[in-house]
Amino acid sequence: MNGGGGAPVDFDVIVIGAGPAGLMTAHSLARVGRSVVVIERGEAVGSKNLSGGIMYCHAIREVFPDFLDSAPVERLIARNVLVFGTGSGHVAIDYADQRLSAAGTAVTVLRARLDPWLAARCEEAGAMVMPGLRVDSLLIEGGRVAGVVAGQDELRSHVVVAADGVNSFIARGAGFRPPPKMSQLGVGIKGVVKLSEAQINDRFQLAEGQGAAFSITGEVTGGIGGGGFLYTNRDSVSVGLILRLDDLTAQGGDSSVLFEGLLANRFVAPYIDGGRLIEYGSHLVNEGGQAMMGDIVWDGLVAVGDAAGLTINTGLTVRGMDLAVGSGIAAAKGIDAALAAGDATAQGLAGYPAALRESFVGQDMSTFAKMPAFLENPRLYRDYGQLTADVLRGVYNLDLTPRRPLLSLARQAVRESPVRIRQLLADSLKAVRAL
Ligand SMILES: Cc1cc2nc3c(=O)[nH]c(=O)nc-3n(C[C@H](O)[C@H](O)[C@H](O)COP(=O)(O)OP(=O)(O)OC[C@H]3O[C@@H](n4cnc5c(N)ncnc54)[C@H](O)[C@@H]3O)c2cc1C
């Protein structure tokens, strides 16, 4: 096989990392008869993983049509709320729609449950999943990747899949991928607060099995670029923040102090009142969008999911898990074709980037390519929530002065805010183009 090296291989494909990207790659390859092993450093699959928790499940449902019934899905999202916190209150857009939960396109998941479920599907399809083993480096022979080194062991394969998440030490360590810029990373802090199912249904105004996703911006980040989230699980609530790493560092912010502030925030606190914090963790998040992708295939190696820079944060939705799933499916297609052709060089593996470009992953990454630059705008986190509240105050705070039309109230609010009308117009245009 061209590019396959001289020594016999242990597996057709070695996957590093048992997150959704690695497990979906492994599952798709095992299903077509390829020998695959997934190596996971966590003692148990899912133990190292942390997501806010909304999974857009269109792609995974195509592979597992029974996903909603048999996977550990927490709730079906029926309500999306966007909240701008201000010093004195908040302004919210509350979109509740039974059609969302009926379609089952977005669900809440807990990774400690979802990842083992996916691993079991991989094993059923014939893949081997090995938790409790860390890959230390790539085995490189004759300029191509020929396997992995884990402790004292060397394992050989025709193709290695770097599915090792946002840090991607494996591809970066070997010089295949450049280190990310600080502006391309966010810090995610997440807690899980235990409540009863009935308390969640009451507080979030949800019917049995339905869920809510709140995106919160404004005062909760202390002026740092980013936002908070509040997602309902079956009998717990995921609550957290994603903060831009460069801004956090520049402003000397402390993510754990901001997280404490989020729990005590006047909007958030009533939803989690009396609950018990049962889980807490912190993890990096890709924030660079399409500009972060770069190369994703090399001789004997491909990168998928977060390791390939695939995340989309629009401020309204945070997406990584569905892109991980989509990239795993596309990678398996490319790898299978390369193995069939006996050519696992970068050229032989080119079917993967081609399949990714054509899939919803490539198309959505391109659609939202301007989003990261748009989200760098500090006015989004500091000024626009307050500005909207000031306009609405003019509408609802009836006193004895004669009423003024909305446009006049808006003009006055802009005059009194630090935002200039020129900036408002430019930002509106950028928002339309980025979204
Ligand atoms: C706070 C927060 C909130 C988020 N919210 C959402 C959300 O609501 N919706 C959404 O879709 N996405 C969300 N994301 C993003 C999402 O979590 C990721 O995009 C997704 O997990 C990527 O999947 P992956 O399989 O590529 O990587 P991961 O899930 O990170 O999996 C990588 C795996 O590789 C293993 N690994 C790493 N190095 C090695 C090694 N050397 N040897 C062996 N194993 C290794 C790790 O232990 C891990 O299991 C959020 C992320 C954070 C941090």
Side-chain angles (χ1 to χ4, degrees):
M1 173 162 163
N2 184 10
V9 297
D10 302 293
F11 297 92
D12 288 330
V13 182
I14 296 172
V15 178
I16 309 167
L23 291 170
M24 287 309 296
T25 313
H27 179 269
S28 307
L29 284 165
R31 251 195 350 182
V32 294
R34 300 295 178 188
S35 65
V36 192
V37 64
V38 183
I39 301 177
E40 167 56 45
R41 67 180 171 164
E43 279 310 314
V45 170
S47 60
K48 291 255 174 203
N49 292 338
L50 181 144
S51 282
I54 304 288
M55 184 173 201
Y56 298 93
C57 49
H58 43 88
I60 204 164
R61 284 179 62 191
E62 283 197 357
V63 180
F64 305 110
D66 64 341
F67 181 76
L68 294 180
D69 298 320
S70 63
V73 164
E74 297 289 316
R75 286 173 183 257
L76 299 166
I77 298 300
R79 185 173 173 213
N80 290 276
V81 184
L82 177 62
V83 183
F84 297 91
T86 67
S88 53
H90 68 266
V91 177
I93 299 170
D94 189 339
Y95 168 54
D97 194 331
Q98 298 297 321
R99 289 177 299 180
L100 292 177
S101 53
T105 43
V107 299
T108 38
V109 292
L110 290 167
R111 295 288 299 277
R113 294 179 187 156
L114 177 76
D115 292 7
W117 180 88
L118 267 177
R121 300 289 81 73
C122 281
E123 287 175 330
E124 280 167 21
M128 186 186 285
V129 182
M130 288 174 64
L133 184 63
R134 197 173 82 105
V135 170
D136 296 313
S137 60
L138 294 169
L139 181 64
I140 299 182
E141 287 175 353
R144 75 173 295 278
V145 175
V148 300
V149 180
Q152 303 300 314
D153 297 315
E154 282 183 4
L155 285 172
R156 291 169 178 279
S157 62
H158 295 303
V159 181
V160 172
V161 178
D164 52 334
V166 62
N167 291 319
S168 192
F169 289 124
I170 293 301
R172 284 201 189 113
F176 289 106
R177 280 182 74 81
K181 298 179 193 138
M182 285 250 277
S183 61
Q184 294 179 321
L185 292 176
V187 182
I189 314 110
K190 179 194 164 183
V192 176
V193 176
K194 179 93 176 69
L195 290 164
S196 77
E197 220 169 317
Q199 277 173 318
I200 292 173
N201 292 346
D202 271 4
R203 291 180 190 185
F204 289 84
Q205 299 155 39
L206 296 167
E208 191 77 31
Q210 293 192 339
F214 286 40
S215 303
I216 307 159
T217 192
E219 60 173 354
V220 290
T221 66
I224 291 163
F229 58 85
L230 195 59
Y231 301 148
T232 55
N233 304 311
R234 191 170 49 79
D235 56 4
S236 64
V237 171
S238 295
V239 54
L241 289 167
I242 297 181
L243 303 163
R244 268 202 11 241
L245 185 57
D246 57 345
D247 213 9
L248 183 69
T249 313
Q251 297 200 39
D254 180 333
S255 57
S256 47
V257 171
L258 287 165
F259 180 73
E260 289 300 324
L262 176 75
L263 299 184
N265 176 269
R266 75 167 72 81
F267 179 82
V268 174
Y271 286 104
I272 53 174
D273 185 38
R276 191 163 41 91
L277 190 65
I278 54 170
E279 207 184 299
Y280 173 76
S282 174
H283 202 282
L284 288 177
V285 193
N286 288 328
E287 295 267 272
Q290 197 180 32
M292 222 178 155
M293 278 184 65
D295 289 340
I296 53 171
V297 292
W298 305 268
D299 292 349
L301 177 70
V302 311
V304 292
D306 271 10
L310 300 172
T311 321
I312 298 173
N313 183 352
T314 64
L316 301 175
T317 55
V318 178
R319 290 171 56 191
M321 287 186 277
D322 63 324
L323 307 178
V325 167
S327 68
I329 296 168
K333 216 182 265 181
I335 294 169
D336 186 46
L339 294 175
D343 180 3
T345 62
Q347 206 180 356
L349 289 161
Y352 164 39
L356 194 73
R357 267 193 305 276
E358 279 166 28
S359 73
F360 76 94
V361 180
Q363 293 181 19
D364 290 0
M365 290 295 291
S366 159
T367 301
F368 296 111
K370 295 197 174 95
M371 210 61 219
F374 175 69
L375 291 178
E376 280 178 19
N377 183 345
R379 289 183 289 280
L380 297 178
Y381 313 103
R382 290 205 289 258
D383 303 320
Y384 286 128
Q386 188 62 53
L387 189 60
T388 316
D390 290 346
V391 176
L392 292 172
R393 183 165 171 266
V395 173
Y396 292 109
N397 185 33
L398 298 189
D399 52 23
L400 292 179
T401 56
R403 292 295 86 205
R404 291 163 51 195
L406 191 61
L407 193 60
S408 155
L409 290 172
R411 275 206 208 100
Q412 185 187 341
V414 173
R415 267 198 307 276
E416 289 171 1
S417 91
V419 180
R420 301 283 46 90
I421 192 80
R422 181 177 39 80
Q423 293 172 323
L424 178 67
L425 293 173
D427 290 345
S428 310
L429 193 64
K430 281 189 196 148
V432 170
R433 287 186 177 149
L435 274 166

